[in-house]
């Protein structure tokens, strides 16, 4: 299944070092603007994302509907990369991976399915791809790198530890 990624989630998954695992499980598609945003810095996460693009684990596609992108930016106060990713997900009829609050709100208004870095972490833990100790460490890294509300991190920790 295809999942369109926004820069926020792609970078977060790279920073906590689970992007390669995720890219083994799903087809990651990103707009060109997201590629530019993610690979501009020569940091670890930028290099990992570039490598996965070169390996064909992340597919980069061009967006042509500028007027729709501009409308999404204006209507939902999104940056261009987020608007491109949202548009691409809607057009492809697939979910978007996003950790940016304005884009999540836009998804809710547009009835667009979405997932977050925390969801990916919980899923690879539940699938047995990483153990609980590793998952907790990666969750703590997410709490440092992401802009998560403490309640969200606490809820994710409970889910990792077997709660609801």
């Amino acid at each position: 299944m295809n999942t369109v990624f926004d820069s926020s989630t792609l970078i977060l998954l790279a920073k906590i070092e689970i992007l390669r695992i995720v890219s083994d499980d799903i087809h990651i598609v990103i707009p060109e603007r997201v590629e530019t945003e993610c690979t501009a810095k020569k940091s670890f996460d930028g290099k990992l994302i570039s490598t996965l693009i070169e390996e064909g684990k992340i597919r980069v596609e061009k967006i042509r509907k500028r007027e729709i992108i501009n409308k999404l930016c204006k209507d939902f106060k999104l940056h261009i990369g987020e608007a491109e990713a949202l548009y691409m997900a809607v057009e492809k009829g697939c979910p978007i991976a996003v950790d940016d609050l304005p884009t999540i709100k836009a998804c809710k208004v547009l009835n667009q399915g979405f997932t977050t870095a925390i969801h990916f972490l919980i899923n690879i833990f539940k699938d047995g791809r990483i153990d609980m100790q590793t998952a907790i460490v990666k969750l703590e890294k997410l709490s440092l790198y992401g802009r998560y509300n403490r309640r969200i991190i606490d809820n994710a920790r409970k889910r990792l530890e077997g709660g609801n």
Side-chain angles (χ1 to χ4, degrees), residues 3-95:
T3 302
V4 175
F5 275 65
D6 177 24
S7 302
S8 59
T9 306
L10 205 58
I11 291 168
L12 285 171
L13 294 179
K15 282 186 180 295
I16 67 165
E17 301 179 38
I18 64 170
L19 183 57
R20 185 172 288 282
I21 295 170
V22 170
S23 73
D24 287 340
D25 295 339
I26 63 171
H27 301 285
I28 298 174
V29 184
I30 60 173
E32 287 178 325
R33 180 61 165 240
V34 169
E35 176 190 23
T36 301
E37 292 172 0
C38 292
T39 60
K41 293 182 183 174
K42 298 304 174 199
S43 58
F44 169 78
D45 46 293
K47 289 178 184 175
L48 176 59
I49 292 165
S50 292
T51 299
L52 292 173
I53 291 169
E54 290 169 15
E55 291 175 0
K57 298 271 191 178
I58 297 173
R59 191 173 71 236
V60 180
E61 294 184 4
K62 189 172 190 72
I63 296 285
R64 298 191 191 327
K65 304 272 182 163
R66 287 286 117 208
E67 65 281 354
I68 296 173
I69 301 306
N70 292 337
K71 183 163 177 37
L72 286 170
C73 289
K74 182 180 176 203
D75 290 352
F76 295 107
K77 295 184 174 47
L78 304 180
H79 294 110
I80 294 173
E82 285 109 9
E84 285 190 3
L86 178 57
Y87 171 76
M88 185 179 279
V90 169
E91 281 294 299
K92 290 182 171 298
C94 65

Side-chain angles (χ1 to χ4, degrees), residues 89-141:
V90 169
E91 281 294 299
K92 290 182 171 298
C94 65
I96 181 173
V98 60
D99 284 81
D100 175 71
L101 187 57
T103 310
I104 290 172
K105 287 179 179 180
C107 287
K108 290 177 180 180
V109 169
L110 298 172
N111 198 30
Q112 171 61 42
F114 68 92
T115 189
T116 67
I118 288 177
H119 291 111
F120 284 110
L121 176 61
I122 290 169
N123 288 339
I124 66 169
F125 165 71
K126 285 184 176 180
D127 290 345
R129 309 278 301 274
I130 59 173
D131 61 38
M132 185 185 301
Q133 182 179 355
T134 302
I136 296 294
V137 167
K138 292 187 182 301
L139 180 63
E140 287 304 315
K141 286 183 177 181

